[in-house]
C-alpha cells in the first residue's frame, strides 16, 4: 500500500504529482494545497500569499484525453 499524503504538511516548494485511484480524494488534496498557497501557509517564492492566477494546477483523466 502506498504512503498516505498529508496535504497540510506537504512542502509547497517545487512540483508535485498526485496519482491515485478514483474516489481517493485527489481533488480535495489539490484544493487543499492551492488553498494553503493562497492563504500564505508555507509561503514560497516571493514570501507572500499567492493569487489564484499565479498557481498552475493541471489535471488529466482518460475521459479528457478522448
Amino acid at each position: 500500500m502506498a504512503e498516505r499524503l498529508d496535504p497540510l504538511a506537504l512542502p509547497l516548494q517545487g512540483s508535485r504529482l498526485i496519482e491515485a485511484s478514483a474516489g481517493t480524494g485527489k481533488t480535495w488534496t489539490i484544493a487543499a494545497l492551492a488553498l494553503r498557497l493562497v492563504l500564505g501557509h508555507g509561503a514560497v517564492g516571493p514570501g507572500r500569499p499567492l493569487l489564484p492566477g499565479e498557481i498552475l494546477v493541471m489535471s488529466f483523466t482518460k475521459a479528457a484525453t478522448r
Side-chain angles (χ1 to χ4, degrees), residues 23-66:
T24 57
K26 291 179 300 295
T27 301
W28 188 93
T29 299
I30 291 168
L33 293 172
L35 181 61
R36 285 181 57 204
L37 289 169
V38 170
L39 294 177
H41 296 183
V44 296
R48 61 167 173 75
L50 298 177
L51 298 173
E54 297 175 302
I55 302 168
L56 174 64
V57 176
M58 297 175 63
S59 178
F60 296 96
T61 64
K62 287 183 181 180
T65 61
R66 290 185 190 142

